[in-house]
């Protein structure tokens, strides 16, 4: 059957001031009707440029330099701009990454969809409004008619992305391009949106081009996958076959960099050495060769073609992995992991002890006469311990209060109630010099290293600052200290004299890590340290964090929304929901035998780069949206989204009960596992 | 909304009190004064002292201010000996005429500036954009009085197309019945005003053109014209509304100069003459008006912003 979309030898150039970047260099892919093709790759690999080329919506300096894009037999590259406008929306719809900025802020969502439905169609205003209401219902928005006049800022990210989808599908295109459609969303919402896209594909019989950096997102839903590297397709094939046995060394390296695959074994992640090549210079040989562990001389002089192998898969490599193909070793499922630290550490005095921590933000109005109008309950009665030398992971979706806890512990915010003890010393009541002295022992590693460093300060000054503030050592000792640290994170001493913008995102995060270590803290609080990183860079930072923890005896409070990363690095995990810790326990134990329905939902929602596992999880996950923290639900805060909720959940706040070894504790009336020491489950 | 307005009005009272007090003190520190100004050069010291006592200028400053404030609360702005009429009457007679000039002037500058800014943004970094940018810098650089005189010299003296003087008369209707005479003052206003609007609109439009929602509009097949007018312009105009409110005082200052150059019988001309004649009651009255105008302008900006931008709720 002729594919609905066929891209042949596509080349895209982006003209810079004095060079031309070949962002896409000879890409050929095709998309059959009703099929979902996933394009994966790291940033800068050309996956988004390929998608934008189909729409002819390249950035101002970009242009299609060659190749052909055929949509249902029509050559798109030969169309005039006016004809191309007709293709957009009618034949191809597109949804983008950030639903928070992708909608017009001054137009109601209903009108935006109605406008999209009317374009190039002779619909009247009333018909278009009718169609828009139908579309809102189609994308799963309850009470569509009432929400028609809502503005984007009144909607959550998930709803906005649904609105985007409704706009893209308003004129029933044959092809939907989804460019990182869920990257800005929480995992539970991501799961819902991906389900929706999959569902609409089946119902409307359209083809979907799913562009993502996340192998897990692609794994469960795409029929076929193309892996891109440096402007070229490295490998493509059926999802199951490709995920089971990658042929291209780059794909293999990506898989080995995934923390979820190494979570059970705790082995160091594979890191791809070096950086992707710059695409402004002409390149000879295989583009991955400089970073490839199998590269030979031939790879550096001759470019491997994207050849069709005997099994029908394509890969551009002279030395494909596992020839003949061998399945990737899958970690044995269900094998119970022995908690490493937790058991013996449980007896000792914890390094950090958080007891009944509460943080309320007053919602007040008025500058002169402040009137209390309500309270945002960001952290509500949270208790946990962090033991010396362990990594405690706090995981939860945005708005769950995990970042606030980090800020409270570091001292950037004052708690409303509760106590924070470090080494037996109460931090919340300390003042003056003693307070400053105590702050030395807890340091914060930020998420966004590009904005958390003063752009006008050289690295040396940035790293030296904590020492100067705390009046530690003299100038020579300080310089010695930061040089030593720079070596520890693997950056050359020359970096000291440069400015933050001269580094890549990954290098900046290493510097941010070094800065957190300058004062030799006992506890490092890391807030989403790898969320903005590409997979290979993420692996490098996670490895380094683990190595230095071992070498320097560090204790981490690791805050992240990414369950796979938390699970890989943490000894114990605390799962947070709307200001509460709902479940705590050894990492593997919590992941494999979750007791709280929210934990189970989180595990099911988090995408895993394994098509077999992903397909089992379809239609599971967490329903609905996060309620407001201003008047949080009574009793159990998760009850509004919980399928097991009963009357008691609204009336009585569930107490924390033990569930297993290593201090596995969960707070639920109807847990998924039997509480320890109870013979009959109460959930009958 | 009501609470917002109540709070803003409370702020306004405090600001008015401060501004008038400062101006009061500054005025009285000036050499000369209304008494000297209203007496002939050869007046005897006794005559001066007598008039000073009559006007009440011999009393302590805070008592004078207190009296002025007290009278103000009863709606009495004082009496201008030079104009021989109550200040309130002088202002109410001239205010509508000044407002007419300002509205026409702002209207004309927006009419030129806004489309020009949008056009420039649509043709950004092309030759026509650069040419128009040059024109705006010319407008920025030219002082109001200079432009006024230049227009008079060119269009009234050399070519005699329009009269050199502004329309005269006591009411707005009389002023508007002489549209020919209005052309040059309004043109001066417009020439000196359009530049900032076109620059604001150009940069606001360019900011909006690279927003993600514009990309979304293109992705559903909207033409560049639709993108520009349906999506971008409304978002750009929000900026202008705010700026318009905040610029009211500057525009009033411009009116003072235009009125003086063209001898337009409005508040600006009266203010200029009062300043030369040390007519304190008039000066204070107009300053009070300027203060109120500034406050009202910023409140209007906030309200306009809230009306146009659904994301803004007035809670400050």
């Amino acid at each position: 059957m002729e594919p609905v979309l066929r891209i042949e030898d596509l080349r895209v150039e982006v003209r810079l001031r004095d060079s031309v970047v070949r962002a896409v260099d000879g890409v050929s892919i095709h998309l059959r009707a009703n099929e979902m093709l996933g394009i994966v790759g790291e940033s800068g690999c050309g996956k988004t440029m390929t998608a934008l080329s189909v729409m002819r919506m390249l950035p101002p300096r970009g242009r299609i330099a060659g190749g052909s894009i055929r949509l249902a037999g029509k050559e798109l590259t030969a169309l005039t701009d006016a004809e191309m406008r007709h293709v957009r929306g009618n034949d191809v719809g597109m949804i983008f990454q950030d639903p928070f900025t992708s909608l017009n802020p001054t137009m109601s969502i209903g009108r935006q969809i109605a406008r999209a439905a009317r374009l190039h169609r002779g619909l009247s205003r009333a018909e278009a409004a009718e169609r828009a209401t139908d579309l809102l219902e189609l994308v799963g928005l309850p009470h569509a008619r009432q929400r028609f006049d809502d503005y984007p800022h009144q909607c959550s990210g998930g709803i906005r992305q649904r609105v985007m989808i409704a706009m893209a599908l308003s004129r029933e295109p044959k092809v939907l391009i989804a460019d990182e459609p869920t990257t800005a969303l929480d995992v539970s919402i991501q799961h819902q949106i991906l389900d929706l896209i999959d569902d609409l594909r089946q119902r409307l019989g359209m083809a979907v081009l799913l562009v993502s950096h996340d192998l897990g997102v692609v794994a469960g839903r795409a029929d076929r996958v193309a892996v891109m590297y440096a402007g070229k397709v490295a490998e493509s094939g059926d999802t199951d076959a490709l995920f089971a046995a990658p042929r291209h060394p780059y794909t293999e390296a990506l898989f080995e960099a995934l923390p979820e695959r190494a979570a059970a074994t705790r082995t160091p992640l594979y890191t791809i050495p070096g950086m992707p090549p710059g695409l402004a210079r002409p390149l000879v040989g295989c583009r991955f060769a400089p970073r490839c562990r199998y590269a030979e001389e031939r790879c550096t002089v001759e470019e491997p073609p994207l050849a069709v192998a005997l099994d029908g898969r394509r890969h551009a490599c002279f030395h494909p992995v596992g020839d003949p193909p061998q399945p990737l070793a899958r970690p044995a499922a269900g094998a119970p992991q022995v908690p490493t630290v937790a058991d013996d550490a449980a007896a000792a005095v914890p390094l950090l002890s958080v007891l009944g921590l509460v943080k309320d933000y007053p919602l007040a109005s008025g500058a002169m006469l402040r009137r209390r109008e309500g309270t945002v309950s960001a952290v509500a009665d949270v208790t946990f311990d962090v033991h010396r030398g362990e990594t405690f992971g706090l995981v939860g979706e945005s708005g769950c209060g995990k970042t606030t806890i980090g800020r409270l512990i570091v001292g950037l915010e004052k708690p409303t109630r509760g106590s924070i003890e470090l080494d037996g010393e109460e931090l919340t009541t300390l003042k003056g010099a003693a307070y400053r002295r105590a702050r030395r022992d807890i340091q914060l590693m930020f998420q966004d290293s590009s904005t958390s460093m003063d752009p006008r300060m050289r690295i040396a000054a940035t790293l030296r600052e904590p020492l100067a503030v705390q009046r530690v050592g003299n100038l020579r000792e300080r310089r010695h200290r930061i040089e030593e640290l720079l070596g520890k994170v693997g950056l050359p001493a020359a970096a000291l004299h440069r400015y933050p913008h001269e580094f890549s995102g990954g290098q900046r995060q290493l510097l941010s890590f070094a800065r957190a270590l300058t004062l030799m803290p006992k506890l490092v609080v890391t807030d989403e340290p790898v969320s903005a990183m590409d997979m290979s860079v993420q692996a490098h930072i996670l490895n380094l964090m683990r190595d230095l923890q071992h070498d320097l005896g560090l204790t981490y409070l690791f805050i992240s929304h990414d369950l796979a990363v938390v699970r890989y690095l943490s000894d114990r995990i605390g799962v947070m929901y709307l200001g509460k810790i709902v479940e705590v326990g050894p990492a593997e134990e919590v992941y494999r035998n979750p007791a709280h329905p929210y934990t189970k939902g989180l595990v099911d929602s988090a995408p895993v780069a394994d098509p077999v596992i992903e397909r089992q999880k379809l239609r599971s996950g967490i329903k609905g949206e996060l309620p407001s923290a201003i008047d949080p639900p009574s009793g159990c805060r998760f009850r509004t989204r919980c399928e097991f909720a009963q009357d008691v959940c609204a009336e009585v706040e569930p107490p924390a009960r033990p569930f297993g070894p290593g201090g596995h504790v969960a707070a639920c009336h109807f847990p998924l596992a039997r509480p320890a020491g109870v013979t009959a489950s109460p959930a009958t | 909304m009501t609470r917002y307005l109540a709070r803003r009005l409370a702020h306004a009272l405090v600001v008015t009190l401060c501004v008038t007090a400062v101006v009061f003190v500054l005025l009285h520190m000036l050499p000369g004064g209304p008494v000297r100004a209203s007496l002939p050069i050869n007046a005897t010291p006794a005559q001066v002292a007598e008039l000073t006592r009559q006007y009440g200028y011999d009393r302590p400053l805070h008592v004078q201010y207190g009296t002025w404030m007290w009278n103000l609360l009863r709606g009495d702005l004082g009496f201008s000996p030079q104009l021989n009429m109550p200040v309130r009457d002088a202002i109410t007679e001239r205010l509508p005429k000044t407002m007419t000039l300002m509205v026409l002037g702002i209207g004309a500058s927006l009419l030129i500036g806004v489309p020009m800014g949008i056009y420039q943004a649509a043709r950004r970094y092309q030759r026509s954009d650069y040419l128009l940018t040059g024109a705006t810098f010319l407008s920025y650089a030219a002082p109001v009085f200079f432009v006024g005189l230049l227009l008079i010299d060119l269009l009234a003296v050399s070519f005699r197309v329009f009269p050199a003087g502004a329309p005269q008369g006591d009411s707005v209707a009389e002023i508007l019945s002489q549209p020919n005479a209005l052309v040059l003052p309004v043109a001066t206003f417009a020439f000196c005003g359009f530049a900032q609007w076109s620059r604001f609109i150009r940069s606001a439009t360019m900011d909006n053109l690279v927003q993600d929602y514009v990309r979304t509009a293109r992705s559903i097949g909207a033409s560049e014209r639709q993108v520009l007018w349906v999506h971008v312009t409304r978002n750009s105009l929000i900026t202008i509304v705010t700026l318009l409110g905040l610029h009211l005082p500057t525009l009033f200052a411009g009116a003072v100069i235009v009125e003086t150059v063209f001898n337009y019988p409005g508040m600006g001309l009266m203010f200029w003459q009062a300043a030369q004649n040390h007519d304190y009651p008039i000066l204070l009255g107009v300053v009070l008006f300027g203060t109120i105008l500034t406050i009202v302008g910023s409140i209007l900006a906030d309200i306009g912003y809230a009306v146009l931008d659904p994301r803004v709720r007035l809670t400050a």
Side-chain angles (χ1 to χ4, degrees):
Chain A
M1 191 175 68
E2 170 68 9
V4 55
L5 178 71
R6 180 182 282 283
I7 298 175
E8 288 286 356
D9 197 26
L10 178 71
R11 284 193 302 280
V12 173
E13 292 179 353
V14 181
R15 208 166 282 279
L16 299 182
R17 192 178 293 271
D18 45 20
S19 62
V20 175
V21 173
R22 289 172 189 83
V24 178
D25 200 356
V27 163
S28 301
I29 48 176
H30 63 277
L31 182 64
R32 298 187 201 99
N34 204 16
E35 182 185 49
M36 189 186 285
L37 172 70
I39 301 186
V40 288
E42 297 183 286
S43 45
C45 71
K47 56 190 191 302
T48 292
M49 288 291 182
T50 306
L52 289 175
S53 302
V54 178
M55 298 290 276
R56 201 189 287 174
M57 281 174 54
L58 290 168
R61 289 167 183 281
R63 66 182 192 96
I64 296 174
S68 122
I69 303 172
R70 292 184 78 80
L71 182 81
K74 184 161 56 178
E75 178 58 50
L76 294 189
T77 53
L79 295 185
T80 64
D81 282 347
E83 288 166 331
M84 200 55 219
R85 273 200 295 279
H86 198 78
V87 170
R88 288 179 210 140
N90 279 327
D91 300 326
V92 188
M94 184 157 182
I95 53 180
F96 301 94
Q97 173 169 352
D98 192 349
F100 294 92
T101 56
S102 291
L103 296 172
N104 187 340
T106 58
M107 202 187 276
S108 74
I109 56 173
R111 272 196 64 210
Q112 295 195 44
I113 301 171
R115 280 204 69 84
R118 275 178 77 191
L119 276 174
H120 308 296
R121 295 266 168 103
L123 291 184
S124 72
R125 257 171 210 282
E127 284 166 342
E130 196 57 39
R131 173 97 180 107
T133 314
D134 292 347
L135 283 162
L136 280 174
E137 269 163 21
L138 179 77
V139 296
L141 202 66
H143 314 300
R145 209 168 288 276
Q146 281 107 294
R147 305 220 54 177
F148 189 90
D149 291 320
D150 280 4
Y151 284 91
H153 70 279
Q154 295 167 303
C155 306
S156 67
I159 304 242
R160 287 190 224 193
Q161 198 59 302
R162 284 172 198 267
V163 171
M164 265 308 297
I165 295 173
M167 283 174 75
L169 301 185
S170 62
R171 301 201 302 279
E172 295 171 348
K174 303 180 215 44
V175 176
L176 177 70
I177 300 176
D179 185 8
E180 303 272 10
T182 56
T183 308
L185 302 174
D186 274 320
V187 279
S188 66
I189 307 298
Q190 158 164 298
H191 199 79
Q192 294 172 8
I193 296 291
L194 290 173
D195 276 351
L196 174 70
I197 293 174
D198 212 14
D199 182 49
L200 290 172
R201 162 169 80 115
Q202 310 290 357
R203 278 161 65 188
L204 307 178
M206 60 183 178
V208 177
L209 193 66
L210 178 66
V211 177
S212 181
H213 71 285
D214 190 334
L215 289 165
V217 163
V218 169
R221 294 172 176 83
D223 302 301
R224 287 185 304 115
V225 175
V227 180
M228 285 187 70
Y229 180 79
K232 282 184 169 298
V233 174
E235 156 163 34
S236 70
D238 283 345
T239 310
D240 283 4
L242 189 143
F243 275 74
R247 306 301 308 276
H248 198 284
Y250 174 64
T251 320
E252 186 198 41
L254 278 186
F255 281 130
E256 289 179 21
L258 283 176
E260 65 206 42
R261 297 220 170 183
T265 54
R266 300 296 175 99
T267 46
L269 304 171
Y270 179 70
T271 55
I272 308 174
M275 307 248 288
L279 300 177
R281 291 171 292 114
L283 296 164
V284 184
C286 172
R287 291 171 183 211
F288 188 58
R291 309 174 72 187
C292 180
R293 48 187 151 172
Y294 311 117
E296 289 180 355
E297 196 177 341
R298 182 184 177 202
C299 303
T300 60
V301 290
E302 193 182 333
E303 187 175 329
L306 186 66
V308 184
L310 289 174
D311 52 4
R313 291 168 58 186
R314 290 162 176 269
H315 52 78
C317 183
F318 293 126
H319 307 287
V321 182
D323 216 357
Q326 276 171 4
L328 211 77
R330 202 192 301 275
Q337 287 295 312
V338 186
T340 45
V341 204
D343 269 341
D344 18 313
V349 181
L351 174 68
L352 176 79
S353 188
V354 174
L355 187 67
L357 195 64
V358 174
K359 180 64 183 177
D360 292 335
Y361 292 100
L363 258 191
S365 70
M368 291 167 85
L369 304 157
R370 291 195 77 83
R371 209 182 317 257
R372 218 172 151 103
E373 290 196 329
T375 305
V376 177
S377 172
V379 176
D381 196 11
V382 162
T383 300
F384 64 90
D385 291 339
V386 179
H387 301 290
R388 222 172 294 272
E390 80 167 346
T391 300
F392 185 82
L394 265 186
V395 66
E397 297 178 280
S398 50
C400 74
K402 55 188 192 300
T403 293
T404 309
I405 288 190
R407 293 173 63 87
L408 288 168
I409 290 171
V410 177
L412 290 174
E413 307 244 8
K414 289 253 167 277
T416 309
R417 272 196 306 283
S419 101
I420 302 167
E421 279 183 18
L422 185 78
D423 250 349
E425 189 177 24
E426 175 63 47
L427 296 181
T428 51
T429 53
L430 280 183
K431 287 200 166 54
Y435 179 59
R436 196 176 61 204
R437 177 67 189 77
R439 289 267 298 265
R440 236 183 248 187
D441 294 331
I442 307 180
Q443 291 295 313
L444 180 65
M445 177 177 174
F446 292 92
Q447 167 175 11
D448 189 347
S449 53
S450 63
T451 55
S452 65
M453 275 185 240
D454 189 330
R456 282 172 193 79
M457 256 160 97
R458 291 179 199 274
I459 297 307
T462 298
L463 292 182
R464 213 185 292 129
E465 200 179 19
L467 296 168
V469 168
Q470 291 279 357
R471 303 192 194 115
V472 175
N474 59 30
L475 283 179
R476 192 144 41 91
E477 285 162 359
R478 286 175 194 169
R479 197 176 57 223
H480 183 72
R481 191 75 229 281
I482 58 178
E483 278 169 2
E484 181 194 330
L485 270 170
L486 215 54
K488 277 204 164 59
V489 300
L491 289 173
L496 285 176
H497 307 293
R498 294 201 268 158
Y499 289 97
H501 72 267
E502 297 175 61
F503 297 89
S504 71
Q507 290 170 328
R508 264 201 303 268
Q509 199 60 325
L510 293 176
L511 291 168
S512 178
F513 190 34
R515 179 171 62 172
L517 297 181
T518 44
L519 288 166
M520 294 196 261
K522 293 175 185 162
L523 176 71
V524 181
V525 177
T526 66
D527 191 357
E528 304 273 12
V530 292
S531 310
M533 309 278 124
D534 270 322
M535 279 171 282
S536 56
V537 183
Q538 165 178 305
H540 179 61
I541 290 173
L542 292 180
N543 282 342
L544 185 78
M545 285 181 69
R546 171 163 275 183
D547 291 348
L548 286 187
Q549 177 172 38
H550 190 261
D551 294 351
L552 305 175
L554 294 169
T555 306
Y556 293 133
L557 177 64
F558 189 88
I559 299 169
S560 178
H561 71 286
D562 189 334
L563 190 62
V565 172
V566 171
R567 184 182 153 217
Y568 171 71
L569 207 66
S570 306
D571 302 297
R572 292 191 306 130
I573 300 184
V575 181
M576 286 198 71
Y577 183 78
L578 209 58
K580 299 259 182 203
I581 287 193
V582 296
E583 185 160 2
V584 187
E588 281 306 296
E589 171 75 11
V590 170
Y591 183 79
R592 289 185 193 281
N593 307 311
H596 198 285
Y598 177 67
T599 313
K600 173 83 164 63
L602 208 57
V603 169
D604 285 349
S605 303
V608 171
D610 188 327
V612 182
I613 298 178
E614 274 297 302
R615 265 196 301 272
Q616 288 165 357
K617 302 197 311 198
L618 286 184
R619 315 275 169 249
S620 60
I622 305 161
K623 61 178 181 177
E625 304 235 346
L626 188 76
S628 164
I630 295 172
D631 279 308
S634 62
C636 172
R637 291 191 172 185
F638 184 58
R639 68 175 163 86
T640 53
R641 301 170 78 185
C642 181
E643 52 184 322
F644 307 112
Q646 295 184 20
D647 291 346
V648 64
C649 299
E651 289 152 13
V652 183
E653 192 179 326
R657 289 186 289 177
F659 279 86
H664 186 184
V665 169
C668 180
H669 288 301
F670 305 104
L672 303 165
R674 185 172 297 180
V678 178
T679 40
S681 167
T684 42
Chain B
M1 181 71 188
T2 339
R3 208 196 295 164
Y4 164 82
L5 278 182
R7 190 162 296 124
R8 288 300 297 257
L9 283 178
H11 282 189
L13 276 178
V14 177
V15 170
T16 312
L17 217 59
C18 296
V19 171
T20 48
V22 168
V23 173
F24 210 89
V25 173
L26 287 178
L27 275 182
H28 287 264
M29 280 162 60
L30 292 175
V35 175
R36 290 260 27 145
S38 48
L39 286 173
I41 297 280
N42 54 5
T44 62
Q47 286 173 309
V48 172
E50 169 61 17
L51 206 59
T52 304
R53 200 188 52 75
Q54 255 184 38
Y55 286 170
Y57 291 128
D58 55 340
R59 292 175 301 158
L61 208 54
H62 63 274
V63 176
Q64 291 185 40
Y65 181 69
T67 315
W68 184 79
M69 209 62 213
W70 177 244
N71 289 336
L72 175 67
L73 290 178
R74 293 180 307 168
D76 178 8
L77 281 166
F79 188 86
S80 161
Q82 265 101 359
L83 298 178
N84 197 23
M85 66 195 300
V87 174
R88 195 177 64 175
D89 293 355
I91 288 182
T92 43
E93 186 209 302
R94 285 160 177 252
L95 177 60
K97 290 184 276 187
T98 294
M99 282 298 175
T100 311
L101 182 65
M102 279 174 67
V103 168
L104 289 174
I106 297 170
S109 44
L110 284 177
L111 228 52
I112 302 171
V114 171
M116 185 166 141
I118 295 174
Y119 176 84
Q120 281 187 268
R123 298 250 187 292
R124 59 195 170 282
Y125 308 130
Q126 294 175 20
R127 188 170 305 173
S128 53
D129 175 30
Y130 288 129
L131 274 173
L132 289 173
T133 298
T136 57
F137 284 136
L138 209 63
S139 148
Y140 262 132
V144 180
F145 72 89
F146 177 76
V147 172
L149 292 176
L150 201 70
L151 286 179
I152 291 174
D153 185 53
L154 201 70
L155 296 176
V157 178
S158 302
F159 290 99
R160 296 173 184 277
V161 190
F162 300 109
Q168 300 298 318
D170 290 332
S171 70
V172 175
E174 268 179 86
I175 298 281
L176 289 177
S177 68
Q178 308 157 55
N180 250 2
L182 265 174
V183 169
L184 288 189
V186 170
T188 309
F189 232 115
F191 186 85
C192 296
F194 84 89
Q196 52 181 333
W197 305 126
S198 83
R199 294 310 285 177
F200 287 144
I201 279 281
R202 178 178 179 272
S203 74
T205 307
M206 278 169 53
D207 285 347
N208 279 311
L209 272 172
V210 296
Q211 294 298 311
D212 285 351
Y213 67 82
V214 167
R215 184 184 58 184
T216 304
R218 290 191 182 123
S219 81
I220 57 168
S223 66
E224 282 307 297
R225 189 180 297 261
Q226 285 168 319
V227 166
L228 202 58
W229 292 105
V230 177
H231 296 279
V232 172
T233 303
R234 182 186 163 117
N235 281 291
S236 308
L237 285 179
I238 291 173
T239 337
I240 288 293
V241 169
T242 320
L243 290 168
L244 204 54
L246 299 178
H247 265 82
L248 277 184
T250 323
L251 293 165
F252 180 63
V256 172
I257 301 174
V258 172
E259 288 185 8
T260 311
V261 169
F262 289 94
N263 198 33
Y264 181 94
M267 270 172 73
L269 183 62
M270 176 173 80
F271 184 72
W272 188 69
Q273 285 164 348
Q276 290 188 317
N277 297 332
H278 298 271
D279 193 343
Y280 290 0
I282 290 282
L283 290 179
L284 277 170
V286 177
V287 166
L288 182 71
F289 169 79
T291 313
I292 293 171
L293 189 73
T294 309
I295 293 162
V296 168
S298 74
I299 293 180
L300 280 182
D302 283 358
I303 293 176
Y305 202 42
V307 168
L308 286 175
D309 192 330
R311 287 167 295 183
V312 178
R313 267 181 60 227
L314 295 178
T315 51

